[in-house]
Amino acid sequence: MVKDIYYEIIQEPVTCLCKTELLPHYFTFHSHNGYEILPLVNGNVSLFYESDSILMHPGDVILIPPYVFHRGYQNDDTPYIRDVLNIREDYTLPGREDDYEKLCHTFFTEDNQKINVVHPSAEAFQEIHHLMLQISETLQKPADFENLLLRDAYVAQVLILLYKAVLHRPADYQTTDTWPDSMPQFLIDTFQYINAHLTEPLSLDDIENAIHMNKYYLCRVFHEFTGGSIGQYIIEKRLALARQKIQAGAAPSDACFQSGFNNYANFSRTFNRHVGVSPRTYQKAIRDGKWL
């Protein structure tokens, strides 16, 4: 089964799993409504996203901001073992909101569009891995006062360890490796052009003229790296932006035009097809504290 580019909803404030399964061959570009923290325990994996490509190394911790589309790709059959901590974008440490925001801004990039890589000491990495297991174990228990307090304490410790790793890494630390099969520059330029003109009319011809690359070749390479089409990517980016606008209080009709759609009826149909509910139902769910 081939999946299109998609948006994955983090339903709970915090989710955490230790994964050992191989990535499916059809694994495609996707994004989340929250932060993803991925310590790589073992594996030979590349990570492609909208601004660059990364060759991951065991001991790395990958930090992915909300709404940034990304895709992992296994380079061989080396066992792929990683922890995956997802923190929904509205989560915060109770009573320490300012401190939590400071931590996030420290190790997630300022423009929130670039994936960051942290390489803590071996001792700190093992501690992060152990904390991830404790978070996962806690989340399997009843969500009572004690377990929620433990969850928040473990999450805080993970963030502090990452904060220290960022604070003390060398100024010349390189977070990105290049290798023969890394993402070509014209594809990075394509992502940058789309994001810069997302709320404007966008056609494949516009992109071809701006990037100076044959559109048919561009589409083929784009699909090779993302698992989806340029059109799918544009739609999902606009829908992600529309969600953010609605979450921030915009009326669905305003979110429609502010996110690059030029017809509300078409926007509503597209939103319903991809999200599963209408924009107005989504607005009501957000007001009721639900995430769809």
Side-chain angles (χ1 to χ4, degrees), residues 50-51 185-212 218 222 230 233-234 237-238:
E50 300 167 74
S51 301
Q185 184 60 47
F186 73 82
L187 197 55
I188 295 173
D189 293 341
T190 299
F191 286 120
Q192 291 175 345
Y193 180 81
I194 291 172
N195 284 306
H197 300 273
L198 188 63
T199 59
E200 306 166 17
L202 264 176
S203 70
L204 196 53
D205 288 334
D206 293 332
I207 299 170
E208 179 185 49
N209 293 331
I211 305 304
H212 307 295
L218 176 59
F222 190 95
I230 292 176
Y233 172 72
I234 292 172
K237 286 292 291 187
R238 286 174 171 169

Side-chain angles (χ1 to χ4, degrees), residues 20-32:
T20 57
E21 72 275 11
L22 298 176
L23 286 175
H25 290 297
Y26 56 76
F27 197 54
T28 58
F29 250 34
H30 64 287
S31 69
H32 312 275

